[in-house]
Amino acid sequence: MPKVMLINVTHSEESRVGIMSEGVLESFEIESLSRAHLKGNIYKGIVHRIHPALEAAFVDIGAERDAFLPLDEICFKNLDEEPKSNGRANGGPGGKRQLRIRDVLRPGQQILVQITKEQFANKPPTISTFYSLPGRHLVLLPGSDDTGISRRIEGEERDRLRKAVDELKREEGFGLIVRTVAGLEENGDDLTRDLDYLKRLWANVQSAAKSQQAPSLVYREHDIVQRAIRDFYTPDISEIYIDDEDVFQRARDFLRAIIPGSESVLRLYRGEQPLFSAFHVEEQIESVFGRRVPLRSGGSIVIDGTEALTAIDVNSGGAVRGANPEETAFRTNREAAGEVARQLRLRDIGGIIVVDFIDMRDPQHIREIEQLMRDEMRLDKARHETSRISSLGLMQISRQRLRPAAAASSHVTCP
């Protein structure tokens, strides 16, 4: 089966997007009305209170809770009012003292902020004045003059993109990052079109900020359908199925605007079975919410989350046990490595993850599992780092959370 994207929007309470590769669910996102996606939204807020001990401010953005703004997330170029001190945020030469949060902000001050981390558990949303507006191929950074290319792009492709970015007509005060999205045209027209779109978008944000009263929402990030097409559609996806005609038309217009000529991949699904059932996705989604995930060999992985970290235990379970326990452990760990990486993406687990692999004695086997884990994690769009396997068989992974965890988006803890 080719790689396909499935967009299920027939339920009024929630929308779901899944990407299938060879019949296996590789990516899954859910957005419900009760937990709207807030990351990327831009608000005109009011500084509610200053917390000197945390070197942070709490900003009223019109939500139930004030948002958290640390000092190192404040871009001075994007402030309407200059800091009171001549110091520097990170210290500086000539005896200049380090800037404090009280030098930069004051209660009652109006400020334009963007949500960078969603509210999670008892933690408020984190906001920043380092704005970023993602397009199909570029991320626009208002208030910055820096340019960068994603670390995932390497070799000749990186050199080609660096040259293409240098040739773009950019205004001062707009930084750029080239994203890792395949299908970029050789002549750079995609970059030019993306940059023009993002500059128009930023102009609209500034216009709205001037006309609205604080606290208020100034810019809302795209909905789950448009985000999925913008961020996850690649040339190897042969078809995009959508089960609602209005959303299908909106997706076609959006695709025509950002990737002209690609509208032919869209399919309006009219089957009798629900879309996710027809592609056998529902049973795979169940594993996202279960504690134990079975492996084809008969083993399993068990995922337990705590306040500090997520622990993943690899069990051989009913795996066929041969005469060589080392080989059994190696085969089970190989299968588990791919499933662990997949579950981290599907569940969007962030923070520290500790994987307890089955003990192996052969150093070659240990190195192969380490390399396999790194290879599997390369499919992940989130920033991450993986460690070596320790003498106790433990591997540590740190991973950026991209959105609220899947369980948090559709489950409510009983009081």
Side-chain angles (χ1 to χ4, degrees):
M1 177 185 293
K3 195 170 184 178
V4 297
M5 180 184 293
L6 310 175
I7 300 178
N8 170 225
V9 288
T10 53
H11 300 287
S12 58
E13 298 84 5
E14 67 180 22
S15 301
R16 303 183 297 175
V17 175
I19 296 179
M20 303 284 290
S21 179
E22 302 299 329
V24 176
L25 183 64
E26 292 292 338
S27 177
F28 172 69
E29 187 170 352
I30 183 172
E31 185 173 280
S32 72
L33 289 178
S34 61
R35 295 180 186 267
H37 178 92
L38 300 179
K39 184 178 179 181
N41 287 359
I42 298 178
Y43 296 82
K44 187 175 184 179
I46 303 174
V47 178
H48 187 197
R49 58 191 173 96
I50 303 295
H51 202 304
L54 296 177
E55 287 296 342
F58 287 88
V59 180
D60 179 9
I61 59 173
E64 295 181 2
R65 300 181 63 179
D66 288 344
F68 180 68
L69 176 62
L71 178 60
D72 60 5
E73 285 293 337
I74 298 177
C75 175
F76 299 156
K77 291 183 179 180
N78 287 330
L79 294 180
D80 292 333
E81 303 175 30
E82 292 292 329
K84 297 178 182 178
S85 169
N86 290 325
R88 299 164 64 92
N90 297 312
K96 292 182 180 179
R97 73 181 182 86
Q98 184 178 354
L99 276 178
R100 303 294 183 187
I101 189 68
R102 283 178 168 170
D103 300 323
V104 181
L105 298 176
R106 68 176 189 277
Q109 180 177 340
Q110 296 188 4
I111 184 173
L112 197 65
V113 295
Q114 184 174 36
I115 292 184
T116 56
K117 289 183 181 179
E118 301 260 8
Q119 176 176 325
F120 184 73
N122 61 346
K123 298 178 182 178
T126 300
I127 54 178
S128 173
T129 66
F130 288 95
Y131 315 122
S132 63
L133 296 176
R136 169 68 178 168
H137 299 287
L138 296 173
V139 178
L140 185 68
L141 308 175
S144 172
D145 293 316
D146 298 331
T147 59
I149 297 176
S150 171
R151 290 176 295 178
R152 293 162 62 95
I153 302 176
E154 301 174 341
E156 294 181 0
E157 179 68 5
R158 187 178 187 88
D159 295 336
R160 182 180 75 84
L161 290 175
R162 173 71 66 182
K163 183 179 179 180
V165 171
D166 291 341
E167 293 175 353
L168 287 175
K169 295 180 180 179
R170 293 192 296 126
E171 300 175 14
E172 186 177 351
F174 287 103
L176 292 174
I177 296 176
V178 181
R179 309 181 69 194
T180 52
V181 178
L184 188 63
E185 293 180 2
E186 290 287 337
N187 57 17
D189 287 348
D190 283 342
L191 295 182
T192 302
R193 183 167 51 246
D194 224 18
L195 179 57
D196 291 342
Y197 161 74
L198 292 173
K199 287 195 293 188
R200 290 196 303 271
L201 181 61
W202 177 243
N204 292 337
V205 170
Q206 290 181 303
S207 176
K210 291 178 181 178
S211 63
Q212 295 186 20
Q213 295 293 321
S216 62
L217 174 66
V218 171
Y219 164 75
R220 186 185 299 278
E221 169 66 309
H222 291 309
D223 62 25
I224 188 174
V225 176
Q226 293 175 325
R227 290 199 315 271
I229 294 174
R230 181 193 68 195
D231 297 341
F232 296 106
Y233 171 69
T234 52
D236 60 338
I237 293 180
S238 60
E239 295 173 311
I240 301 176
Y241 287 91
I242 304 176
D243 58 4
D244 180 88
E245 188 165 359
D246 290 338
V247 175
F248 173 84
Q249 297 293 342
R250 186 154 47 90
R252 187 170 62 178
D253 293 340
F254 182 71
L255 196 58
R256 183 183 295 122
I258 64 169
I259 321 173
S262 299
E263 306 93 299
S264 60
V265 301
L266 291 173
R267 303 284 187 272
L268 178 60
Y269 179 76
R270 300 179 182 274
E272 295 183 0
Q273 282 186 298
L275 176 61
F276 274 31
S277 297
F279 282 84
H280 308 288
V281 183
E282 295 293 359
E283 53 266 33
Q284 296 188 53
I285 291 177
E286 291 179 9
S287 72
V288 175
F289 303 106
R291 175 174 175 262
R292 182 181 298 273
V293 180
L295 303 176
R296 292 181 180 179
S297 64
S300 64
I301 61 173
V302 179
I303 304 174
D304 287 309
T306 69
E307 190 74 18
L309 55 83
T310 299
I312 302 179
D313 186 36
V314 180
N315 298 315
S316 58
V320 177
R321 299 181 181 275
N324 188 340
E326 173 73 16
E327 287 296 327
T328 300
F330 177 59
R331 288 197 305 269
T332 305
N333 285 339
R334 279 185 60 87
E335 185 179 0
E339 188 60 35
V340 166
R342 176 172 170 263
Q343 290 295 327
L344 294 183
R345 294 194 304 271
L346 294 178
R347 301 173 187 233
D348 197 26
I349 297 175
I352 302 297
I353 300 106
V354 177
V355 184
D356 184 7
F357 286 105
I358 302 171
D359 290 341
M360 298 175 292
R361 298 183 180 274
D362 188 336
Q364 180 64 27
H365 286 168
I366 295 174
R367 287 193 295 270
E368 287 189 30
I369 295 300
E370 291 172 346
Q371 184 60 49
L372 178 61
M373 196 74 224
R374 287 191 290 268
D375 292 342
E376 293 288 347
M377 291 295 294
R378 285 198 181 98
L379 301 174
D380 201 330
K381 289 183 175 291
R383 291 195 302 270
H384 61 270
E385 292 183 8
T386 58
S387 74
R388 305 287 297 272
I389 296 177
S390 72
S391 58
L392 299 177
L394 303 178
M395 172 180 279
Q396 296 182 49
I397 302 172
S398 64
R399 184 183 181 277
Q400 170 201 23
R401 180 180 290 109
L402 298 177
R403 60 185 184 275
S409 299
S410 55
H411 287 64
V412 176
T413 304
C414 294

